[in-house]
Amino acid sequence: MASTIQVRVDDELKTKSEELFRDLGTDTTTAIRMFLTQALAVNGFPFEIKKATVNPYGALTEHEMLEKLETSRAHAAQGMYKDADEVIHDMRAKYGL
């Protein structure tokens, strides 16, 4: 007997995943079966899951934060920055989103 699993995901995530799996010679259903099989084989997630434990800005004093902001402003004045759309494009390209 076979059971059905239904998962709601963002349309873009579904489309990109389907394209990736197709390029890899499989489909989403098979990829999910592979994930579940591997999870059982390793008795956990078949990849590393970590919780971020350190906030890089959590330990800054107000003075340190203001110094970082001033450095950022100086870089921006020198043209050393990226437009938000460019950053988003780079992240999507890097992480396949």
Side-chain angles (χ1 to χ4, degrees), residues 69-82:
L69 287 170
E70 187 55 41
T71 299
S72 295
R73 288 186 185 109
H75 287 166
Q78 296 169 13
M80 297 169 55
Y81 64 90
K82 286 186 178 182

Side-chain angles (χ1 to χ4, degrees), residues 32-43:
I32 291 170
R33 264 192 219 109
M34 292 168 67
F35 168 82
L36 296 173
T37 301
Q38 281 301 112
L40 291 175
V42 300
N43 199 30

Side-chain angles (χ1 to χ4, degrees), residues 13-92:
L13 175 62
K14 180 179 183 275
T15 300
K16 295 277 188 183
S17 298
E18 288 173 338
E19 290 173 9
L20 171 64
F21 298 141
R22 189 172 33 256
D23 288 348
L24 294 171
T26 192
D27 58 28
T28 303
T29 300
T30 303
I32 291 170
R33 264 192 219 109
M34 292 168 67
F35 168 82
L36 296 173
T37 301
Q38 281 301 112
L40 291 175
V42 300
N43 199 30
F45 284 99
F47 46 81
E48 185 176 9
I49 302 288
K50 297 193 261 190
K51 179 180 175 185
T53 57
V54 176
N55 176 351
Y57 300 104
L60 295 179
T61 65
E62 181 179 357
H63 177 74
E64 291 168 328
M65 180 63 81
L66 291 173
E67 282 182 341
K68 286 192 175 289
L69 287 170
E70 187 55 41
T71 299
S72 295
R73 288 186 185 109
H75 287 166
Q78 296 169 13
M80 297 169 55
Y81 64 90
K82 286 186 178 182
D83 180 79
D85 290 332
E86 186 179 353
V87 172
I88 291 168
H89 177 270
D90 290 350
M91 289 179 68
R92 286 186 171 157

